[in-house]
Amino acid sequence: MAEVEETLARVPMFSGVKSKELKKLGKRMSERSFNEGDEITREGESGIGFFVIEHGNATVSVAGDIVRTLGPGDHFGEIALIDSGPRSATIVASTDLRCRGMSAWEFRPFVEEHPEVAWALLETLVRRLREAQT
């Protein structure tokens, strides 16, 4: 479990969360593995999961164009957690990938208990919005 806490501690969104609380969060998250080439999310489709990458890499594409590469400590799916709307990007495992994931109904209570996560989540969303506008 210590490895999960270390991974979560590297996520900027969780930087203000105490170790004890990260441990609780880690217990709420389930392990998910994907093979190289697996499509994890598809742009435009519904999604309710949030993922933090523990090992491996993935590509993010929007409208068919690769816009970034994700690796250990990176996360995706936070937009769908908030509005339950369609995915804003397609995520494909570029290597074998191990993640920790959780659903909106698991994530929301955690954020309500830890308001510092809400502010960091807003910062993440604003950064991604600005990146999308350039």
Side-chain angles (χ1 to χ4, degrees):
M1 184 57 87
E3 186 177 341
V4 175
E5 291 169 52
E6 289 172 18
T7 299
L8 294 175
R10 289 194 311 257
V11 176
M13 186 166 51
F14 301 131
S15 64
V17 179
K18 293 180 173 84
S19 179
K20 179 176 129 183
E21 299 303 315
L22 286 178
K23 187 174 186 173
K24 288 180 187 177
L25 178 61
K27 288 180 181 179
R28 291 182 184 184
M29 301 178 88
S30 59
E31 185 175 310
R32 294 287 312 268
S33 294
F34 302 94
N35 295 317
E36 181 179 347
D38 284 354
E39 188 176 78
I40 303 163
T41 69
R42 181 185 294 260
E43 182 178 3
E45 291 188 359
S46 64
I48 56 170
F50 166 76
F51 298 91
V52 175
I53 297 174
E54 286 187 289
H55 293 289
N57 296 297
T59 58
V60 180
S61 61
V62 177
D65 296 323
I66 294 176
V67 295
R68 87 176 56 88
T69 299
L70 303 175
D74 288 329
H75 58 88
F76 58 93
E78 66 280 349
I79 295 172
L81 281 179
I82 295 171
D83 71 357
S84 301
R87 295 288 189 180
S88 60
T90 298
I91 311 287
V92 176
S94 51
T95 65
D96 288 343
L97 194 65
R98 189 175 78 213
C99 301
R100 289 286 166 167
M102 67 187 324
S103 64
W105 55 88
E106 294 169 312
F107 189 70
R108 184 176 179 153
F110 182 81
V111 173
E112 289 172 344
E113 294 167 15
H114 302 88
E116 67 275 14
V117 173
W119 188 257
L121 182 59
L122 285 171
E123 290 175 327
T124 297
L125 295 176
V126 167
R127 184 178 65 252
R128 291 201 179 160
L129 176 62
R130 289 186 187 280
E131 288 172 0
Q133 292 175 335
T134 59

